[in-house]
Each structure stands twice: as C-alpha cells, then as structure tokens.
Amino acid sequence: MDPYAQPQIQCPQCGAPAPFRGAAVSLVCEFCDSTVVRTGVDIKLVGKVSALVDNGSPIILGSRGRHHGTPFEVMGRLQVSYSRGNWNEWYVEFADGTVGWLADAQGQYSIVRVKDQSVVAGRVPTYPELDVNMVLTIDGIEAVVVDRRGGAYKGAEGQLPFEAEPGMIFHGVDLRGWNGEFISLDYGTNPNHASPVPYMGEAIDLAEVGLHPLRQFEGWRFTGWQGQPGPT
C-alpha cells in the first residue's frame, strides 16, 4: 500500500467519487447534484443545488488558459441571481498556487485574483455604507464603485473554495480603476463589517487568455485561439 496515497472521498448521498482538488472546500456531485463539503478529513452534505440556468456561456469546467503568463484551470462555477438577472462566477486555480475568479456576465469577462485582506481591513466602509459612484483607494489604486448587489446563490457545479449552501445571499461590490483595473470586494453573507475579501484584476477577452476548450454554438467563428470557437 502506498503510504502517500490520498484517501478516496465518496459522495455521502450516492456513493460516487468526490474528487476534491487543491483548495476546494465544496463540491457538487456530478451524479446526484448534492453539495458535499469537506472539513479536514470529515465530509458532510448540505443539500442539493438548483438546476443551472443556461445563459449561453461558452466557458466549461476544465477550460484552461494563461493570464499574465501563469496557466490556470476552471475548477467550478457559482451561478448567482439578483434583480437585474443572473451571472456566472467561475472559480479558477493558477499554476502558482493562487486562486481567483473568472466573472462572466452578458458576454463580458474579467479575471481577478485574491489579495490579502490586510489591504482593505478597516480601510473601506461596510457594505451598507457603500454606494455607486463612491471613490475608494485600494492597495494604492483609486477606483470608483460601479456595482453593489446582494446576489442569491442559485446553482453550482464542480468545486468551490468555500462552503456553498443553496439559498445563501452574497454581498459584493465591484469597482473600476481609471486605468482599466477591476476590483471586487466580497463581503460574504454578512454585510455589516469592514473587512471584505479583496480581488483585483482586469477585464479580459477569452481569446487573449487562450481559454480552451469552449462550448461551440451554431454561427460562431473563432478569431483568436487556434482551433477554438468564438463569436462572429
């Protein structure tokens, strides 16, 4: 017996393999749609996810790309709904061990990577105190609030870096810098604190980061990454 072999985790609901990887904490079983959460060596069920809405995203689990020279892989998707519709947040893991999110809303995309909370802890307002068009300075970057919303967790697939329980409400604020920077402040399920998790990055084009493979749609023609589809 290999003393270094990792124990195989199985879904407590259906017994199918639950292949957790990296920093993932939650996993949606691809066989029964149950959410499986691991804490150390323990696992538990937290319910079944709702069906994902097909909003025409070309991204799929397992897609790979390269951002500023660092390869990354799409590990999971969180679908969130709020008053203006729904959007996808794709959880990505980078080859250097860092993690981030690929936001996907109405054909616009951005990649952000997590930063240490110390850059914002006690230096930004609480979520209720923020409003659109407010200007904040975050890690030396001056940025304006462009969106503020409480989004309901509607569905998920693959793996996520936190305990994702169906029905949770996430509070977040998006900001844009004057030089194209994209910043997201994640207040989690409790908006009444001044220590959100900061994510920093930029708007991207899927062809620019070489994301592949992608879903193919009738009428699409690729204009960037060799052999992969793209919008006409």
Side-chain angles (χ1 to χ4, degrees):
M1 179 180 296
D2 183 357
Y4 299 102
Q6 295 295 315
Q8 185 182 56
I9 298 176
Q10 295 178 312
C11 172
Q13 180 68 27
C14 70
F20 281 94
R21 291 176 52 187
V25 173
S26 297
L27 176 148
V28 177
C29 177
E30 61 181 301
F31 294 93
C32 69
D33 292 330
S34 295
T35 299
V36 183
V37 174
R38 69 172 175 179
T39 305
V41 298
D42 298 322
I43 60 172
K44 67 177 181 177
L45 289 172
V46 296
K48 288 198 173 188
V49 298
S50 301
L52 291 166
V53 175
D54 187 351
N55 50 13
S57 174
I59 303 170
I60 60 174
L61 292 181
S63 293
R64 298 187 177 193
R66 185 180 294 267
H67 185 239
H68 291 309
T70 305
F72 68 87
E73 180 178 356
V74 176
M75 303 296 295
R77 169 165 58 155
L78 181 70
Q79 193 167 80
V80 183
S81 173
Y82 72 135
S83 58
R84 287 187 284 171
N86 60 66
W87 78 96
N88 301 307
E89 296 278 357
W90 299 90
Y91 171 56
V92 299
E93 291 188 353
F94 292 89
D96 61 5
T98 59
V99 301
W101 293 89
L102 169 55
D104 165 12
Q106 299 178 342
Q108 297 184 330
Y109 308 95
S110 60
I111 287 183
V112 293
R113 297 204 209 187
V114 66
K115 297 280 288 186
D116 193 287
Q117 280 181 274
S118 64
V119 303
V120 295
R123 303 179 185 183
V124 296
T126 64
Y127 176 83
E129 295 172 324
L130 286 165
D131 208 348
V132 173
N133 295 327
M134 287 182 66
V135 177
L136 303 178
T137 299
I138 298 174
D139 201 25
I141 297 173
E142 190 174 66
V144 60
V145 175
V146 295
D147 194 18
R148 171 186 177 277
R149 76 273 170 185
Y153 163 32
K154 288 299 185 182
E157 62 177 332
Q159 307 191 37
L160 296 171
F162 52 82
E163 183 172 334
E165 184 173 350
M168 295 171 69
I169 303 294
F170 299 99
H171 299 86
V173 175
D174 291 336
L175 304 96
R176 296 276 184 162
W178 308 118
N179 295 310
E181 302 94 342
F182 188 92
I183 301 171
S184 181
L185 300 180
D186 180 4
Y187 285 83
T189 57
N190 172 21
N192 299 308
H193 62 88
S195 186
V197 178
Y199 293 87
M200 305 182 73
E202 61 193 351
I204 58 100
D205 181 90
L206 297 185
E208 290 176 352
V209 298
L211 195 67
H212 69 287
L214 300 174
R215 286 178 64 192
Q216 298 192 29
F217 298 92
E218 184 177 354
W220 276 43
R221 174 177 55 83
F222 183 70
T223 58
W225 184 263
Q226 183 177 2
Q228 301 303 324
T232 57

